[in-house]
Amino acid sequence: MPRYIIERNFAEQLQLSKEGVEEINLINDDEGVKWIYSFLSADRKKTYCLYEAPNPEAIRAAARRSNVPADVIIEVAEEIGPNMFA
């Protein structure tokens, strides 16, 4: 399945709860997308999330239903890291 990096910009600092994450995961399952992990900016107003999804529209649909932004969606092709060249 294709992978995507999603940039999300929040007006206020992001506050996460177990219930909120569970709700997002249920919506994602319903839309056929999988949240792999996220990075949170130091000011807690931006996230960079790695997702698997059939297409960007599935990510947008899940974001709308979860009431979270999906400002930039970029398909990524392959993972690279420093250990590849050791």
Side-chain angles (χ1 to χ4, degrees):
M1 181 158 325
R3 285 189 170 191
Y4 298 88
I5 297 288
I6 306 160
E7 179 181 319
R8 303 178 191 278
N9 294 287
F10 298 90
E12 308 261 332
Q13 285 189 339
L14 181 62
Q15 301 298 324
L16 299 172
S17 68
K18 180 181 178 185
E19 294 80 15
V21 169
E22 288 172 350
E23 183 178 344
I24 287 171
N25 284 331
L26 287 173
I27 291 169
N28 286 347
D29 288 346
D30 192 44
E31 295 293 339
V33 302
K34 181 180 176 186
W35 176 20
I36 299 172
Y37 61 83
S38 296
F39 292 97
L40 181 60
S41 65
D43 66 1
R44 301 184 66 90
K45 290 186 176 184
K46 188 177 283 196
T47 61
Y48 298 91
C49 308
L50 180 63
Y51 269 69
E52 288 182 343
N55 54 57
E57 188 48 45
I59 294 168
R60 287 186 193 94
R64 279 190 300 272
R65 289 182 57 196
S66 299
N67 199 30
V68 295
D71 300 299
V72 179
I73 300 173
I74 301 169
E75 186 172 359
V76 292
E78 61 185 277
E79 188 175 322
I80 60 170
N83 293 337
M84 294 175 58
F85 304 102

